[in-house]
Amino acid sequence: MGLTYQMKMKIPFDMADMNGHLKLPDVILLSLQVSGMQSIDLGISDKDMLERYNLVWIITDYDIDVVRLPHFAEEITIETEALTYNRLFCYRRFTIFDESGQAIIQMLGTFVLMDRDSRKVHPVEPEIVAPYQSAFSKKLMRGPKYPDLEHATSKDYHVRFYDLDMNGHVNNSKYLDWIFEVMGADFLTQHIPKKIHLKYVREVRPGGMIASSYDLDGLKSNHQIASDGQVNAQALVTWQKLKKEN
Amino acid sequence: MGLTYQMKMKIPFDMADMNGHLKLPDVILLSLQVSGMQSIDLGISDKDMLERYNLVWIITDYDIDVVRLPHFAEEITIETEALTYNRLFCYRRFTIFDESGQAIIQMLGTFVLMDRDSRKVHPVEPEIVAPYQSAFSKKLMRGPKYPDLEHATSKDYHVRFYDLDMNGHVNNSKYLDWIFEVMGADFLTQHIPKKIHLKYVREVRPGGMIASSYDLDGLKSNHQIASDGQVNAQALVTWQKLKKEN
């Protein structure tokens, strides 16, 4: 087991959607803040990684389970733990607990190291991950097969200036934003995700347009983000109908 | 002088733009978090206002002065103070200080109270603002005249699900997002605002489209957000050229 790191917070007004729920893209943003804080705490911040090794952490997959979404003003604890690593992949858990200690969201993220100059994946060196005290394990955690889209509905979105981070890359959370947005307000006020598989395939380039496509079969949707004729991300979402709350 | 309230924070990665600067719309979001926290602290949260008085705080104008924008990982302190009130308006200051105590952003916000059912402005009752210890002053702080646009450049934006808050309203910060976005990435990587006057005229309706228009004369731009043939917001921005930093 790796070291755990926690952040406690209250959901601010601007992170709540029309249902009063924490916005899904903010779940990713907040989680990455917490793992970033753990790295700083352990003396191996993203900045250190760049300066010492010329390496950047990249996320390739997310696997998200949602029991329920925290609501505005609710106090949550976000916990993260670097679980295991192998030659190429590091697996990290994020768990969101409510005030009673119930795990309401669980995320598994797959991280790889990328050389900043060659833009190629760099093997995970034990020295780099040692501070997290995660275990070496040959076991690969594989995502699902993402089937092709059938009868897809599609919508185009501009890649905006504020979608880009300091490195000129589209923020990870933005893909989830496009994946949800295309479902429309009617659907999103009546459903929340139960399970999300998300795979980042190829980076979206700044400045252009992306197409967010999906097909929906009952409570399962199959998603694709594409630009310039190439797939950027794929996702499979299982939805749950929202019970009316007070 | 009113009571002051402070929040200290470090700029997280996801709030930094391509220049490494805190995104302007996040300045508004963070400031409103701080005034919200002050209200909770004083026992008159937005929720209390609704339950006790059926009233909602609405912002009508912002006046923003930027010396410089804080950068990623920088520690800032956001301070707020309810300055004065009169029969209809409450004036609130937000100041962002850097670690050396230098004020780097100053905002003046004009707040009014709206009755939730009639959607009409409600007079400010001394009882409501008493906890903030702000002074009564007849003096009105008037914004500038917003001239008509000439030779405007315009772009259309969808109002997205995640642009809406719990009350189904477009978040205040979103207008600033549209006002900046239309300037384009080239301009925004070379300029930051020096002064912003922003006036909310009429609420943008969920679900539709808005047009963000502007004309630029030297380092001054004149902006308009419009939808369904009506003006929703107006802004005047004076820009400063960005000095290249390390």
Side-chain angles (χ1 to χ4, degrees):
Chain A
M1 293 236 297
L3 292 178
T4 59
Y5 187 91
Q6 291 192 337
M7 177 177 85
K8 205 176 260 198
M9 68 173 291
K10 274 195 181 180
I11 309 300
F13 186 76
D14 56 270
M15 289 191 188
D17 67 15
M18 267 187 74
N19 295 320
H21 292 145
L22 176 60
K23 296 174 185 173
L24 246 297
D26 284 327
V27 171
I28 288 193
L29 290 180
L30 291 169
S31 299
L32 293 178
Q33 280 182 23
V34 175
S35 59
M37 282 158 63
Q38 183 183 34
S39 297
I40 291 170
D41 203 51
L42 297 173
I44 36 166
S45 68
D46 291 349
K47 207 170 155 230
D48 294 329
M49 288 298 294
L50 210 51
E51 286 169 3
R52 278 192 236 158
Y53 304 103
N54 203 39
L55 294 175
V56 181
W57 286 110
I58 298 285
I59 295 157
T60 63
D61 297 83
Y62 273 119
D63 206 342
I64 309 174
D65 287 284
V66 178
V67 177
R68 69 171 181 86
L69 293 169
H71 51 77
F72 165 59
E74 184 174 355
E75 187 172 281
I76 57 168
T77 300
I78 306 177
E79 182 178 270
T80 189
E81 177 188 0
L83 295 171
T84 63
Y85 70 96
N86 51 51
R87 210 181 69 85
L88 290 180
F89 301 105
C90 294
Y91 302 109
R92 181 179 276 280
R93 168 182 70 82
F94 298 94
T95 310
I96 299 185
F97 296 100
D98 66 13
E99 263 190 288
S100 71
Q102 201 81 25
I104 56 174
I105 299 178
Q106 176 103 340
M107 286 172 52
L108 182 76
T110 304
F111 289 69
V112 299
L113 286 165
M114 190 185 72
D115 185 281
R116 185 169 50 163
D117 298 325
S118 72
R119 311 294 290 173
K120 284 195 177 137
V121 171
H122 189 274
V124 178
E125 281 153 36
E127 173 200 338
I128 289 174
V129 292
Y132 299 102
Q133 298 184 23
S134 62
F136 178 86
S137 163
K138 278 192 177 169
K139 198 185 158 211
L140 294 177
M141 301 191 192
R142 291 183 199 279
K145 287 238 168 191
Y146 294 87
D148 289 338
L149 291 195
E150 295 170 19
H151 321 293
T153 305
S154 185
K155 212 164 165 182
D156 292 339
Y157 295 94
H158 282 283
V159 181
R160 299 184 183 174
F161 179 71
Y162 283 131
D163 295 340
L164 304 174
D165 66 22
M166 279 172 63
N167 307 317
H169 302 305
V170 173
N171 197 302
N172 263 318
S173 68
K174 199 63 211 173
Y175 295 77
L176 211 52
D177 207 339
W178 291 321
I179 285 167
F180 279 76
E181 191 61 39
V182 73
M183 303 302 292
D186 275 357
F187 187 87
L188 295 175
T189 47
Q190 292 172 52
H191 300 83
I192 62 164
K194 188 175 179 182
K195 189 162 191 67
I196 302 170
H197 293 286
L198 174 56
K199 188 182 185 62
Y200 298 103
V201 181
R202 170 190 296 265
E203 220 180 299
V204 168
R205 298 205 154 191
M209 302 278 291
I210 64 98
S212 178
S213 312
Y214 76 99
D215 60 39
L216 177 67
D217 180 9
L219 286 173
K220 292 189 181 216
S221 56
N222 180 10
H223 296 261
Q224 194 178 278
I225 304 294
S227 58
D228 302 323
Q230 293 189 302
V231 175
N232 301 105
Q234 295 170 293
L236 289 171
V237 184
T238 307
W239 299 87
Q240 51 188 315
K241 269 224 152 196
L242 212 52
K243 292 175 201 84
K244 281 278 158 249
E245 293 167 32
N246 289 324
Chain B
M1 293 234 296
L3 292 178
T4 60
Y5 187 91
Q6 290 192 337
M7 176 176 86
K8 204 176 259 199
M9 67 172 292
K10 274 195 179 180
I11 309 299
F13 186 75
D14 56 89
M15 286 190 190
D17 68 16
M18 268 186 73
N19 295 319
H21 291 145
L22 175 60
K23 297 173 185 175
L24 245 298
D26 284 326
V27 172
I28 288 193
L29 290 181
L30 291 170
S31 299
L32 293 179
Q33 280 180 24
V34 176
S35 58
M37 282 157 63
Q38 183 183 34
S39 297
I40 291 170
D41 203 51
L42 297 174
I44 36 166
S45 68
D46 291 349
K47 207 169 155 233
D48 295 329
M49 288 298 293
L50 209 50
E51 287 169 2
R52 277 192 235 156
Y53 304 102
N54 203 40
L55 295 176
V56 181
W57 285 110
I58 298 285
I59 295 157
T60 62
D61 296 84
Y62 273 118
D63 206 342
I64 309 173
D65 287 284
V66 178
V67 176
R68 70 173 181 86
L69 294 168
H71 51 76
F72 165 59
E74 182 173 357
E75 187 172 282
I76 58 168
T77 300
I78 306 177
E79 182 178 89
T80 190
E81 176 188 0
L83 296 171
T84 63
Y85 70 97
N86 50 50
R87 209 181 68 87
L88 290 180
F89 301 105
C90 295
Y91 301 110
R92 180 179 277 281
R93 165 182 73 81
F94 298 95
T95 310
I96 299 185
F97 297 100
D98 67 13
E99 265 189 289
S100 72
Q102 202 80 25
I104 56 176
I105 298 178
Q106 175 103 341
M107 285 170 53
L108 182 76
T110 304
F111 289 67
V112 299
L113 286 166
M114 189 185 72
D115 184 281
R116 186 172 46 167
D117 298 323
S118 71
R119 312 294 289 173
K120 285 196 176 134
V121 170
H122 188 274
V124 177
E125 280 155 36
E127 174 201 338
I128 289 174
V129 293
Y132 299 102
Q133 298 184 22
S134 62
F136 178 85
S137 162
K138 277 192 180 170
K139 199 186 158 209
L140 295 177
M141 301 190 191
R142 292 181 198 278
K145 287 239 169 192
Y146 294 88
D148 290 337
L149 292 193
E150 294 171 19
H151 320 295
T153 304
S154 185
K155 213 165 164 182
D156 292 338
Y157 294 94
H158 281 283
V159 181
R160 298 183 183 176
F161 179 71
Y162 283 132
D163 295 340
L164 304 174
D165 66 21
M166 279 172 64
N167 307 318
H169 301 305
V170 173
N171 197 300
N172 263 319
S173 67
K174 198 63 212 173
Y175 295 77
L176 210 51
D177 206 339
W178 290 321
I179 285 165
F180 280 76
E181 191 62 39
V182 73
M183 303 302 293
D186 275 357
F187 186 88
L188 294 175
T189 48
Q190 292 172 51
H191 299 83
I192 62 164
K194 189 173 179 185
K195 189 161 193 68
I196 302 170
H197 293 285
L198 173 57
K199 187 182 187 59
Y200 298 104
V201 180
R202 170 190 295 265
E203 221 180 295
V204 168
R205 298 206 153 190
M209 303 276 292
I210 65 97
S212 178
S213 313
Y214 75 100
D215 61 38
L216 177 67
D217 180 10
L219 286 173
K220 292 190 182 215
S221 56
N222 180 9
H223 296 262
Q224 193 179 280
I225 305 293
S227 59
D228 302 324
Q230 293 188 301
V231 175
N232 301 106
Q234 294 170 295
L236 289 171
V237 184
T238 308
W239 300 87
Q240 50 188 317
K241 269 224 153 198
L242 213 52
K243 294 175 200 83
K244 281 279 159 247
E245 294 167 29
N246 290 324

Tab-separated table of all heavy atoms in Angstrom, chain B residues 68-100:
chain	number	residue	atom	x	y	z
B	68	ARG	N	-0.981	43.352	-11.773
B	68	ARG	CA	-0.464	42.160	-12.451
B	68	ARG	C	-1.340	40.977	-12.041
B	68	ARG	O	-2.080	41.052	-11.057
B	68	ARG	CB	1.005	41.907	-12.089
B	68	ARG	CG	1.246	41.461	-10.660
B	68	ARG	CD	2.713	41.077	-10.434
B	68	ARG	NE	2.928	40.621	-9.067
B	68	ARG	CZ	2.746	39.364	-8.641
B	68	ARG	NH1	2.323	38.425	-9.484
B	68	ARG	NH2	2.962	39.026	-7.383
B	69	LEU	N	-1.253	39.898	-12.814
B	69	LEU	CA	-2.027	38.702	-12.482
B	69	LEU	C	-1.140	37.726	-11.717
B	69	LEU	O	0.009	37.509	-12.095
B	69	LEU	CB	-2.547	38.045	-13.762
B	69	LEU	CG	-3.575	38.861	-14.550
B	69	LEU	CD1	-3.802	38.243	-15.935
B	69	LEU	CD2	-4.891	38.918	-13.785
B	70	PRO	N	-1.660	37.123	-10.653
B	70	PRO	CA	-0.854	36.136	-9.931
B	70	PRO	C	-0.604	34.921	-10.823
B	70	PRO	O	-1.405	34.620	-11.711
B	70	PRO	CB	-1.726	35.764	-8.735
B	70	PRO	CG	-3.103	36.214	-9.054
B	70	PRO	CD	-2.989	37.313	-10.059
B	71	HIS	N	0.500	34.247	-10.578
B	71	HIS	CA	0.854	33.123	-11.439
B	71	HIS	C	0.724	31.791	-10.706
B	71	HIS	O	0.595	31.742	-9.474
B	71	HIS	CB	2.266	33.309	-12.016
B	71	HIS	CG	3.299	33.618	-10.983
B	71	HIS	ND1	3.811	32.669	-10.142
B	71	HIS	CD2	3.884	34.795	-10.619
B	71	HIS	CE1	4.695	33.233	-9.330
B	71	HIS	NE2	4.743	34.534	-9.589
B	72	PHE	N	0.780	30.727	-11.477
B	72	PHE	CA	0.659	29.364	-10.956
B	72	PHE	C	1.561	29.152	-9.738
B	72	PHE	O	2.723	29.538	-9.759
B	72	PHE	CB	1.032	28.355	-12.054
B	72	PHE	CG	1.286	26.968	-11.523
B	72	PHE	CD1	0.301	26.288	-10.820
B	72	PHE	CD2	2.509	26.343	-11.718
B	72	PHE	CE1	0.528	25.025	-10.317
B	72	PHE	CE2	2.752	25.071	-11.226
B	72	PHE	CZ	1.761	24.411	-10.511
B	73	ALA	N	0.992	28.578	-8.688
B	73	ALA	CA	1.687	28.197	-7.456
B	73	ALA	C	2.002	29.386	-6.548
B	73	ALA	O	2.494	29.202	-5.434
B	73	ALA	CB	2.965	27.396	-7.732
B	74	GLU	N	1.699	30.587	-7.017
B	74	GLU	CA	1.918	31.762	-6.173
B	74	GLU	C	0.886	31.784	-5.041
B	74	GLU	O	-0.267	31.400	-5.229
B	74	GLU	CB	1.791	33.048	-7.013
B	74	GLU	CG	2.063	34.315	-6.211
B	74	GLU	CD	2.111	35.584	-7.076
B	74	GLU	OE1	1.992	35.482	-8.312
B	74	GLU	OE2	2.247	36.674	-6.486
B	75	GLU	N	1.325	32.225	-3.868
B	75	GLU	CA	0.389	32.344	-2.753
B	75	GLU	C	-0.207	33.732	-2.729
B	75	GLU	O	0.522	34.725	-2.766
B	75	GLU	CB	1.084	32.047	-1.426
B	75	GLU	CG	0.076	31.994	-0.286
B	75	GLU	CD	0.696	31.515	1.022
B	75	GLU	OE1	0.888	30.297	1.160
B	75	GLU	OE2	0.994	32.362	1.884
B	76	ILE	N	-1.528	33.783	-2.711
B	76	ILE	CA	-2.209	35.074	-2.656
B	76	ILE	C	-3.158	35.104	-1.463
B	76	ILE	O	-3.533	34.075	-0.919
B	76	ILE	CB	-3.027	35.368	-3.939
B	76	ILE	CG1	-4.067	34.259	-4.184
B	76	ILE	CG2	-2.114	35.537	-5.145
B	76	ILE	CD1	-5.096	34.596	-5.256
B	77	THR	N	-3.520	36.318	-1.090
B	77	THR	CA	-4.554	36.515	-0.084
B	77	THR	C	-5.664	37.336	-0.724
B	77	THR	O	-5.392	38.390	-1.298
B	77	THR	CB	-3.992	37.262	1.148
B	77	THR	OG1	-2.938	36.469	1.712
B	77	THR	CG2	-5.066	37.484	2.193
B	78	ILE	N	-6.879	36.822	-0.661
B	78	ILE	CA	-8.021	37.572	-1.182
B	78	ILE	C	-8.756	38.161	0.008
B	78	ILE	O	-9.137	37.441	0.935
B	78	ILE	CB	-8.974	36.664	-1.983
B	78	ILE	CG1	-8.204	35.927	-3.084
B	78	ILE	CG2	-10.124	37.480	-2.584
B	78	ILE	CD1	-9.052	34.944	-3.872
B	79	GLU	N	-8.902	39.466	-0.020
B	79	GLU	CA	-9.582	40.145	1.083
B	79	GLU	C	-10.849	40.799	0.571
B	79	GLU	O	-10.873	41.318	-0.536
B	79	GLU	CB	-8.659	41.225	1.672
B	79	GLU	CG	-9.274	41.947	2.859
B	79	GLU	CD	-8.319	42.980	3.458
B	79	GLU	OE1	-8.344	44.148	2.993
B	79	GLU	OE2	-7.547	42.630	4.360
B	80	THR	N	-11.891	40.747	1.367
B	80	THR	CA	-13.107	41.439	0.970
B	80	THR	C	-13.637	42.291	2.119
B	80	THR	O	-13.350	42.020	3.293
B	80	THR	CB	-14.191	40.458	0.477
B	80	THR	OG1	-15.262	41.214	-0.109
B	80	THR	CG2	-14.727	39.584	1.600
B	81	GLU	N	-14.373	43.332	1.750
B	81	GLU	CA	-14.946	44.235	2.746
B	81	GLU	C	-16.210	44.862	2.162
B	81	GLU	O	-16.180	45.386	1.039
B	81	GLU	CB	-13.922	45.351	3.055
B	81	GLU	CG	-14.451	46.404	4.016
B	81	GLU	CD	-13.489	47.598	4.144
B	81	GLU	OE1	-12.430	47.588	3.494
B	81	GLU	OE2	-13.839	48.542	4.872
B	82	ALA	N	-17.294	44.772	2.894
B	82	ALA	CA	-18.515	45.483	2.503
B	82	ALA	C	-18.299	46.943	2.857
B	82	ALA	O	-18.176	47.287	4.028
B	82	ALA	CB	-19.720	44.915	3.230
B	83	LEU	N	-18.203	47.815	1.859
B	83	LEU	CA	-17.777	49.198	2.082
B	83	LEU	C	-18.919	50.066	2.603
B	83	LEU	O	-18.932	50.453	3.762
B	83	LEU	CB	-17.231	49.796	0.779
B	83	LEU	CG	-15.968	49.150	0.214
B	83	LEU	CD1	-15.670	49.678	-1.180
B	83	LEU	CD2	-14.781	49.413	1.148
B	84	THR	N	-19.855	50.371	1.727
B	84	THR	CA	-20.983	51.216	2.120
B	84	THR	C	-22.254	50.685	1.472
B	84	THR	O	-22.198	49.864	0.563
B	84	THR	CB	-20.800	52.689	1.658
B	84	THR	OG1	-20.750	52.713	0.225
B	84	THR	CG2	-19.544	53.305	2.236
B	85	TYR	N	-23.383	51.134	1.953
B	85	TYR	CA	-24.647	50.790	1.298
B	85	TYR	C	-25.537	52.014	1.274
B	85	TYR	O	-25.362	52.951	2.053
B	85	TYR	CB	-25.346	49.623	2.031
B	85	TYR	CG	-25.894	49.961	3.388
B	85	TYR	CD1	-27.240	50.300	3.559
B	85	TYR	CD2	-25.079	49.955	4.515
B	85	TYR	CE1	-27.746	50.621	4.813
B	85	TYR	CE2	-25.576	50.273	5.766
B	85	TYR	CZ	-26.910	50.609	5.911
B	85	TYR	OH	-27.405	50.936	7.148
B	86	ASN	N	-26.472	52.022	0.341
B	86	ASN	CA	-27.509	53.045	0.329
B	86	ASN	C	-28.855	52.340	0.133
B	86	ASN	O	-28.943	51.141	0.377
B	86	ASN	CB	-27.217	54.127	-0.718
B	86	ASN	CG	-26.895	53.510	-2.071
B	86	ASN	OD1	-27.636	52.669	-2.548
B	86	ASN	ND2	-25.782	53.914	-2.665
B	87	ARG	N	-29.855	53.065	-0.303
B	87	ARG	CA	-31.198	52.475	-0.317
B	87	ARG	C	-31.275	51.218	-1.196
B	87	ARG	O	-31.990	50.279	-0.896
B	87	ARG	CB	-32.229	53.507	-0.771
B	87	ARG	CG	-33.628	53.276	-0.173
B	87	ARG	CD	-34.614	54.301	-0.669
B	87	ARG	NE	-34.884	54.122	-2.086
B	87	ARG	CZ	-35.829	53.294	-2.571
B	87	ARG	NH1	-36.565	52.594	-1.744
B	87	ARG	NH2	-36.029	53.170	-3.877
B	88	LEU	N	-30.521	51.209	-2.288
B	88	LEU	CA	-30.623	50.087	-3.219
B	88	LEU	C	-29.340	49.294	-3.420
B	88	LEU	O	-29.374	48.131	-3.773
B	88	LEU	CB	-31.111	50.591	-4.589
B	88	LEU	CG	-32.553	51.056	-4.676
B	88	LEU	CD1	-32.870	51.520	-6.089
B	88	LEU	CD2	-33.527	49.944	-4.261
B	89	PHE	N	-28.194	49.969	-3.232
B	89	PHE	CA	-26.932	49.328	-3.600
B	89	PHE	C	-26.014	49.074	-2.410
B	89	PHE	O	-25.977	49.860	-1.464
B	89	PHE	CB	-26.166	50.210	-4.607
B	89	PHE	CG	-26.949	50.480	-5.858
B	89	PHE	CD1	-27.530	51.731	-6.070
B	89	PHE	CD2	-27.114	49.493	-6.822
B	89	PHE	CE1	-28.265	51.976	-7.219
B	89	PHE	CE2	-27.844	49.731	-7.970
B	89	PHE	CZ	-28.422	50.978	-8.177
B	90	CYS	N	-25.278	47.956	-2.506
B	90	CYS	CA	-24.200	47.690	-1.551
B	90	CYS	C	-22.909	47.608	-2.340
B	90	CYS	O	-22.864	46.962	-3.396
B	90	CYS	CB	-24.423	46.356	-0.844
B	90	CYS	SG	-25.879	46.344	0.199
B	91	TYR	N	-21.872	48.261	-1.822
B	91	TYR	CA	-20.593	48.264	-2.516
B	91	TYR	C	-19.603	47.419	-1.736
B	91	TYR	O	-19.464	47.577	-0.518
B	91	TYR	CB	-20.070	49.693	-2.684
B	91	TYR	CG	-21.036	50.554	-3.452
B	91	TYR	CD1	-21.742	51.571	-2.815
B	91	TYR	CD2	-21.267	50.335	-4.809
B	91	TYR	CE1	-22.655	52.358	-3.510
B	91	TYR	CE2	-22.173	51.109	-5.515
B	91	TYR	CZ	-22.866	52.124	-4.848
B	91	TYR	OH	-23.773	52.890	-5.541
B	92	ARG	N	-18.941	46.524	-2.456
B	92	ARG	CA	-18.020	45.598	-1.794
B	92	ARG	C	-16.681	45.617	-2.518
B	92	ARG	O	-16.615	45.598	-3.746
B	92	ARG	CB	-18.618	44.185	-1.825
B	92	ARG	CG	-17.766	43.134	-1.171
B	92	ARG	CD	-18.421	41.767	-1.216
B	92	ARG	NE	-19.383	41.559	-0.136
B	92	ARG	CZ	-19.042	41.248	1.106
B	92	ARG	NH1	-17.755	41.115	1.436
B	92	ARG	NH2	-19.958	41.059	2.028
B	93	ARG	N	-15.631	45.650	-1.728
B	93	ARG	CA	-14.273	45.658	-2.270
B	93	ARG	C	-13.683	44.261	-2.165
B	93	ARG	O	-13.895	43.535	-1.191
B	93	ARG	CB	-13.431	46.630	-1.431
B	93	ARG	CG	-11.933	46.534	-1.604
B	93	ARG	CD	-11.201	47.516	-0.696
B	93	ARG	NE	-11.228	47.118	0.718
B	93	ARG	CZ	-10.415	46.217	1.279
B	93	ARG	NH1	-9.507	45.581	0.547
B	93	ARG	NH2	-10.514	45.924	2.564
B	94	PHE	N	-12.936	43.878	-3.196
B	94	PHE	CA	-12.117	42.663	-3.156
B	94	PHE	C	-10.692	43.081	-3.501
B	94	PHE	O	-10.476	43.774	-4.500
B	94	PHE	CB	-12.574	41.638	-4.200
B	94	PHE	CG	-13.982	41.143	-4.012
B	94	PHE	CD1	-15.042	41.730	-4.684
B	94	PHE	CD2	-14.249	40.076	-3.166
B	94	PHE	CE1	-16.343	41.266	-4.522
B	94	PHE	CE2	-15.543	39.598	-3.001
B	94	PHE	CZ	-16.595	40.204	-3.681
B	95	THR	N	-9.737	42.681	-2.714
B	95	THR	CA	-8.344	42.987	-3.021
B	95	THR	C	-7.540	41.700	-3.005
B	95	THR	O	-7.683	40.899	-2.079
B	95	THR	CB	-7.750	43.978	-2.000
B	95	THR	OG1	-8.639	45.086	-1.859
B	95	THR	CG2	-6.381	44.486	-2.454
B	96	ILE	N	-6.724	41.507	-4.025
B	96	ILE	CA	-5.814	40.362	-4.020
B	96	ILE	C	-4.409	40.870	-3.713
B	96	ILE	O	-3.885	41.745	-4.409
B	96	ILE	CB	-5.848	39.601	-5.364
B	96	ILE	CG1	-7.270	39.068	-5.600
B	96	ILE	CG2	-4.822	38.462	-5.374
B	96	ILE	CD1	-7.422	38.196	-6.831
B	97	PHE	N	-3.851	40.328	-2.650
B	97	PHE	CA	-2.500	40.694	-2.234
B	97	PHE	C	-1.528	39.574	-2.597
B	97	PHE	O	-1.875	38.394	-2.496
B	97	PHE	CB	-2.438	40.900	-0.716
B	97	PHE	CG	-3.283	42.032	-0.219
B	97	PHE	CD1	-4.533	41.791	0.344
B	97	PHE	CD2	-2.837	43.341	-0.298
B	97	PHE	CE1	-5.322	42.829	0.811
B	97	PHE	CE2	-3.618	44.398	0.172
B	97	PHE	CZ	-4.871	44.141	0.726
B	98	ASP	N	-0.311	39.940	-2.968
B	98	ASP	CA	0.714	38.902	-3.133
B	98	ASP	C	1.415	38.678	-1.795
B	98	ASP	O	1.047	39.279	-0.777
B	98	ASP	CB	1.683	39.246	-4.280
B	98	ASP	CG	2.539	40.467	-3.985
B	98	ASP	OD1	2.579	40.930	-2.817
B	98	ASP	OD2	3.175	40.969	-4.923
B	99	GLU	N	2.411	37.799	-1.804
B	99	GLU	CA	3.043	37.408	-0.535
B	99	GLU	C	3.743	38.558	0.177
B	99	GLU	O	3.880	38.554	1.392
B	99	GLU	CB	4.037	36.265	-0.780
B	99	GLU	CG	3.415	34.903	-0.525
B	99	GLU	CD	4.464	33.804	-0.545
B	99	GLU	OE1	4.981	33.506	-1.641
B	99	GLU	OE2	4.767	33.269	0.532
B	100	SER	N	4.176	39.555	-0.616
B	100	SER	CA	4.853	40.700	-0.006
B	100	SER	C	3.855	41.736	0.502
B	100	SER	O	4.251	42.794	0.986
B	100	SER	CB	5.812	41.335	-1.015
B	100	SER	OG	5.075	42.011	-2.014
